[in-house]
Amino acid sequence: MKEFLLGLRLLLGSGRGTRIRFALMTVGGSLGVCCLALVLTIPAILDARDGRSADRAPLVVAGKPEQGRTLVLERSDPHGSRPFHRVFIARGGKGTLEPPPGLGRLPGPGEVFVSPALKAQLDREPALKGLLPGHEKGIISPSGLTDPDELYAYVGVTPGKLTLYGGTRALKGFGKGYAAVPTVEPSTLDILRFTLGTLVLLPLAVFLSVCARLSAASRNRRLAALRLLGLSAKGTQRVNAAETVVAAVCGALLGLAEFWLLNQAMAHTGLPGLKWYADDGGLSAVTLAVCLLGCPALAWFVGRAGARAAAANPLNTRRTAVPRRPRRRGGLLLVTGLGIVAGYCATGLTAAPAQNTGVNTLLVPLGVLLTGLGLVLTMPLLSYALARSLARTGSLTLNLAMRRNEVEPGSAMRVVTGLVLLVFSASLAQGVLVEEDQILRSSSPSQEYSLSLSGLSAQQQHRLREIPELRAHAMTMDPPFDPGDEGPAIPARALVATCGQLQKMVRRAEGCVDGTVLHLVDPAMPQEAVKPSTARVKDGDRHTSVTIEVPHRKVVFSGYDVTAVDAPVLYPPSRIPAGAVPVSGSLILASASDPGTVRTVLDRIGAIAPTADVDPVGINIDALQQITVIETLLALGMIMGLVIGVAAFLVSATDRAVERRAHVTALTLIGARSRLLRRVQCLQVTLPLAVGLVLALITGKLAESAYLVTGGGEVFWDTAGLPLLVVAALGVLAAATLGTLPLVGRRIDPELIRRD
């Protein structure tokens, strides 16, 4: 305890420089704790959303509902790129049911309870009221909604209306043990946690260690003086740890306050695809314990380890003896991690690649973590080896720069490690996005949207065809449905499109001639017997019959796996009266299949025709929402990693420059120019950083490939993401170069001229 109090007295009475260092340590630690709390809170936010979704899920009785029971029917439709949930309830006379969370009672016939977001949407788009028969009677409270932006409604109807639908079931109550559609699938959530840990927690540990080691050289000299005055070795370590622990505790408290403010702001603004209530992001007991106990504990061990050399050899510290060369344990970790990930990459070249099952589920993450840790611990060794090899050159600039790195290889690790880890983690994040994209998105390069023509006005059809992101559009013309028309042949349907439109909606088409009725044949699909039929088209109030015959002349085409182009006849638009549209049929729109374009097109469709029945062919809106959440969380992790990496660089580079003021002053006195000193300062940082970035690119791509190989998808080698990583690495190198230039002062401070 005496050593701890002595450390506090030294902290308060050692001058302005010590207090400024303590403030930097506290602010830096608070930034790290804020990011740590955010990472720990993300799973709690997702669990809270899924918990409310499970609590409101209807419990139903299988089979045909009994007379007099309360009935329920669920409907989930896309409104743009967002799910629109409706729950129809018909109250019965048997039993009394508790209302779902968020409602005070079950809705009666003609009563509608809506979420706040849906109420705002109804004000903007009154046409949506056609999907909610009845009058609005209240608002669903937050306990019955997954997030503030959810489109959700309870609609009360009479039992006679629900018995017409096959999905109607008898209602027993509300509440299940799981969410029917989780925000993120459990397996994906585990991957997301691991990736966020690599993106944020690994750089965070480095950053907190950097903050705890500010002004290491001057602090070691002070501790060595205490040791020479008679303080024990353990006592000397405790004195140093006292300052770091107090800074960590103050930083943890400040960081939790920063997180509370950030949670309040982000809960109101939200993130793309993800919004939550402020209470969902509240600080849990686990988060408080990790931040308030874990961070000071890390600072304690870092502080004791930092004072070990001064406590063991105080004379060497006071006389600035040359330290021993870095140990090779970090290199062993890197080699071990690379051996694991390279082995899994090699299985991708065989006919039976490794799968993410059994022991592989542990070895792949272990290999990635060992590679990341080895990358951190290898940086001093690489900096030392690079300095020894380059210091022998005849260049004065390289000699000055590398000799300093040879003497202090650990200082390079503190400066560049955060940026190196950022590039390594970015590659792994790319791999997660590639795998999730393979799982949740169709492999087809084209995405189609089918809309029933009966629910579209002529103006809406015209506006839908003019959506900028579309690559093609067409119509289908269907004969009237006749239940008595049975037989071996089905009535012919027609695709109303030009040859150019057909070419854009299929992989290839051969033998198409504009202005001619043609038989559409896809050899990959089974051919059914088709007979002529009659369809009707309308032009205003005028109706005309159109005969659809199956001609002998064929168009052989190759369609996509999931497509709405399945009509046996291609009918040219010129054969239909100008301005006429089929009475029964669909409008087919086609765009690119990347998630961003799909979301944009769906949102535009929802804005033009909010009540239209949209079938996004082959797309699950919930899966599209899920990949949006995953992309958002990974982007958030990247932003936090970037903040931590840049903060670690700025703090450590500034601290390193301040510590080296005496050396810079000495070089200035013997005639070194400012331009030379700036080049020296720049090379001391950028050369180890360049080597680390190259190593991070190589190891990151290997770790990403090992992850993709064991994921079982079609993409094993993500070459498309390599240029982006190279550009990011070059940007990091340029930023680091600019960051080192202003750190050499022009004035000579007499206090820095001392005799060793």
Side-chain angles (χ1 to χ4, degrees), residues 135-428:
H135 300 284
E136 183 183 318
K137 288 294 182 180
I139 301 296
I140 305 173
S141 67
S143 61
L145 301 171
T146 58
D147 63 77
D149 278 351
E150 188 178 24
L151 303 180
Y152 206 90
Y154 291 97
V155 183
V157 295
T158 59
K161 291 184 178 181
L162 289 191
T163 54
L164 301 175
Y165 299 95
T168 301
R169 294 290 182 267
L171 179 65
K172 293 194 299 182
F174 295 91
K176 293 182 179 179
Y178 59 92
V181 183
T183 307
V184 178
E185 291 292 337
S187 59
T188 306
L189 184 58
D190 293 337
I191 297 171
L192 196 60
R193 285 171 175 162
F194 170 73
T195 308
L196 286 176
T198 308
L199 279 171
V200 182
L201 298 185
L202 197 56
L204 181 62
V206 174
F207 177 52
L208 293 177
S209 300
V210 166
C211 292
R213 292 285 292 155
L214 291 178
S215 301
S218 60
R219 291 164 69 186
N220 284 343
R221 291 173 62 87
R222 186 182 65 188
L223 294 171
L226 292 176
R227 181 76 176 93
L228 292 173
L229 289 174
L231 193 64
S232 66
K234 289 185 177 180
T236 304
Q237 290 178 304
R238 294 191 190 104
V239 168
N240 188 52
E243 181 179 357
T244 58
V245 168
V246 173
V249 171
C250 295
L253 294 174
L254 182 59
L256 292 177
E258 293 170 357
F259 169 76
W260 184 87
L261 294 174
L262 183 65
N263 177 54
Q264 297 296 320
M266 294 179 66
H268 285 89
T269 59
L271 297 171
L274 180 64
K275 197 171 183 181
W276 63 92
Y277 295 102
D279 291 342
D280 295 346
L283 292 167
S284 65
V286 174
T287 303
L288 289 173
V290 171
C291 294
L292 294 178
L293 298 179
C295 292
L298 175 63
W300 171 265
F301 287 110
V302 171
R304 286 178 59 87
R308 189 176 300 153
N313 298 297
L315 287 176
N316 287 344
T317 302
R318 292 295 300 176
R319 293 171 179 172
T320 321
V322 177
R324 62 184 179 183
R325 63 181 297 172
R327 298 179 180 179
R328 299 180 179 179
R329 289 181 298 183
L332 294 177
L333 284 179
L334 181 61
V335 170
T336 304
L338 282 178
I340 296 175
V341 298
Y344 282 105
C345 290
T347 65
L349 302 174
T350 65
Q355 298 295 317
N356 191 20
T357 56
V359 70
N360 295 341
T361 58
L362 297 177
L363 282 180
V364 174
L366 178 63
V368 174
L369 286 178
L370 288 178
T371 303
L373 288 174
L375 192 61
V376 173
L377 299 177
T378 307
M379 287 303 301
L381 188 61
L382 291 175
S383 179
Y384 180 81
L386 179 68
R388 283 183 63 87
S389 61
L390 294 181
R392 299 188 182 96
T393 63
S395 171
L396 176 62
T397 304
L398 276 177
N399 198 304
L400 288 175
M402 294 299 103
R403 287 303 181 188
R404 175 52 53 187
N405 279 0
E406 184 180 358
V407 173
E408 298 177 357
S411 63
M413 182 192 77
R414 293 198 301 271
V415 175
V416 306
T417 300
L419 300 177
V420 170
L421 276 178
L422 177 64
V423 175
F424 173 79
S425 303
S427 184
L428 185 62

Side-chain angles (χ1 to χ4, degrees), residues 18-37:
T18 302
R19 290 192 291 271
I20 292 176
R21 182 182 68 241
F22 178 79
L24 285 176
M25 294 169 63
T26 301
V27 173
S30 71
L31 179 62
V33 169
C34 181
C35 292
L36 175 62

Side-chain angles (χ1 to χ4, degrees), residues 453-495:
L453 288 170
S454 60
L456 299 174
S457 65
Q459 183 182 10
Q460 286 175 328
Q461 293 179 40
H462 175 73
R463 293 178 61 193
L464 288 170
R465 293 188 182 97
E466 297 298 321
I467 292 176
E469 289 77 13
L470 296 182
R471 59 198 299 181
H473 60 83
M475 292 188 299
T476 62
M477 189 163 51
D478 301 338
F481 176 70
D482 185 2
D485 190 6
E486 298 180 356
I490 61 173
R493 300 171 59 247
L495 178 71

Side-chain angles (χ1 to χ4, degrees), residues 508 510 520-527 554-559:
R508 62 179 180 84
E510 299 175 356
L520 286 171
V521 177
D522 186 354
M525 301 298 292
Q527 302 299 314
K554 297 180 180 180
V555 176
V556 179
F557 75 99
S558 175

Side-chain angles (χ1 to χ4, degrees), residues 42 184 188-189 191-200 271-272 274 422 425-437 626-642 707:
I42 286 174
V184 178
T188 306
L189 184 58
I191 297 171
L192 196 60
R193 285 171 175 162
F194 170 73
T195 308
L196 286 176
T198 308
L199 279 171
V200 182
L271 297 171
L274 180 64
L422 177 64
S425 303
S427 184
L428 185 62
Q430 275 191 346
V432 175
L433 286 176
V434 169
E435 186 189 27
E436 295 305 317
D437 193 49
Q626 184 175 139
I627 196 172
T628 304
V629 173
I630 294 170
E631 290 173 347
T632 297
L633 293 178
L634 287 179
L636 181 63
M638 286 296 298
I639 292 173
M640 286 190 289
L642 177 63
Y707 175 78

